[in-house]
Amino acid sequence: MATVKRTATIAGYFLELGTRDIEIYSIAQDGSEALKRIDDVQGTIRIISEKVGFERDYNISFRQHVAKLIQYINKTTTE
């Protein structure tokens, strides 16, 4: 079975939701587009959610929240 990863790029961050992990990278602003892994996943997701106006639903898991956030980002940036 192939693994499906969900990704989004927003506000200088690259988000990746794999089958096991949630990974976030900051994108270098110097034009090199180098990625640096961020260790504080929950704090960074909170910051990103606030920036894009996506509220946390505490009736779903954090992982589900990240999946919906990525869908929201991809929907709003492609419109």
Side-chain angles (χ1 to χ4, degrees), residues 11-45:
Y13 295 101
F14 176 76
L15 288 74
E16 182 176 67
L17 178 66
T19 55
R20 295 183 185 199
D21 297 325
I22 299 167
E23 294 186 17
I24 303 175
Y25 300 90
S26 63
I27 303 170
Q29 301 297 316
D30 62 2
S32 68
E33 297 184 10
L35 299 176
K36 181 180 178 187
R37 187 173 177 173
I38 296 182
D39 293 326
D40 182 13
V41 172
Q42 290 190 354
T44 307
I45 289 296

Side-chain angles (χ1 to χ4, degrees), residues 29-69:
Q29 301 297 316
D30 62 2
S32 68
E33 297 184 10
L35 299 176
K36 181 180 178 187
R37 187 173 177 173
I38 296 182
D39 293 326
D40 182 13
V41 172
Q42 290 190 354
T44 307
I45 289 296
R46 190 176 308 116
I47 291 167
I48 293 169
S49 295
E50 288 174 4
K51 284 185 179 184
V52 298
F54 189 79
E55 292 191 28
R56 172 79 160 96
D57 179 358
Y58 290 97
N59 294 318
I60 61 176
S61 72
F62 181 73
R63 185 172 178 77
Q64 290 171 318
H65 169 69
V66 173
K68 289 182 178 247
L69 174 62

